[in-house]
Amino acid sequence: MSGVKIIPIGKPRTVRQRILEALGDLLAKQGFDGLSLDLLARTAGLERGVILRHFQDFDDVVTAFGQSSAFWPTVDELREDVAERFAAMPPRAQLAHFFKATIRGLLARPRTLDILAWELMSRNRYTRLLEYPRVRSALEFFESVTGDVPESLDLTAIVAVLGGAAIFLTVRSRQSGVFGGLNLYDDADRERVNRALDLLLSGLIREAETRQ
């Protein structure tokens, strides 16, 4: 049985939260094509003027949703289970933890996984608005990494490759259950992925150290 805790959507407590929840539901169900303030208003059951009293414009709504923890795990969430010992962990373990925690955080957000699946098929300014907050989150996490990371380690490429793999595997687990014999909702399969991440980061750092 999976130990992944699903982030509940729940009932919105404020009009602003209601608007963001409606946008998340809209994106998860029908993707990015045809998005508009009027469509969001109809989905939320609100007048467009009500939305504009809480947000500057439609782009502002999308940006706020992308910055919300309902869409993407925060740095604090990514580190919460190792917060007290994170600084003492070797760099390879800190880096590996980012990808492990990201996978766990995404699996806990099935609506986000549906949105990411749509994102793979559509590129527009709304997909870019959702990208900016998670890029900043990754940068913030890696700025907190302690210890000596080899200067020759191409961290940008590593984040792109392993981050892309994390997104793809979680989306596929959501869409079809199994990819390459792995179901990330299964604790044992997710632990296999975690071990693979440990080995990959250890090997990458060791190889970078030999080139210094």
Side-chain angles (χ1 to χ4, degrees), residues 192-204:
R192 291 170 63 191
V193 172
N194 287 346
R195 288 196 296 270
L197 286 167
D198 286 332
L199 290 171
L200 285 168
L201 269 302
S202 294
L204 287 166

Side-chain angles (χ1 to χ4, degrees), residues 92-118:
R92 65 179 184 277
Q94 293 179 1
L95 297 178
H97 181 79
F98 171 79
F99 300 106
K100 297 175 188 177
T102 296
I103 287 172
R104 187 172 63 248
L106 291 179
L107 291 173
R109 293 167 169 81
R111 183 175 61 181
T112 295
L113 294 177
D114 289 341
I115 295 170
L116 291 174
W118 285 109

Side-chain angles (χ1 to χ4, degrees), residues 116-190:
L116 291 174
W118 285 109
E119 189 179 285
L120 293 172
M121 297 183 289
S122 178
R123 295 293 299 161
N124 55 40
R125 80 175 195 267
Y126 301 126
T127 63
R128 288 189 289 273
L129 287 173
L130 290 183
E131 282 182 356
Y132 297 147
R134 60 188 191 246
V135 169
R136 286 199 300 271
S137 176
L139 290 174
E140 182 182 345
F141 184 97
F142 287 110
E143 285 174 357
S144 69
V145 170
T146 58
D148 295 325
V149 176
E151 292 184 5
S152 60
L153 188 69
D154 190 346
L155 198 53
T156 300
I158 290 170
V159 172
V161 172
L162 295 184
I167 290 175
F168 180 80
L169 287 173
T170 51
V171 169
R172 280 298 299 265
S173 290
R174 165 71 170 162
Q175 297 294 324
S176 57
V178 176
F179 177 77
L182 296 173
N183 179 353
L184 295 192
Y185 285 102
D186 180 82
D187 290 344
D189 282 353
R190 199 167 60 257

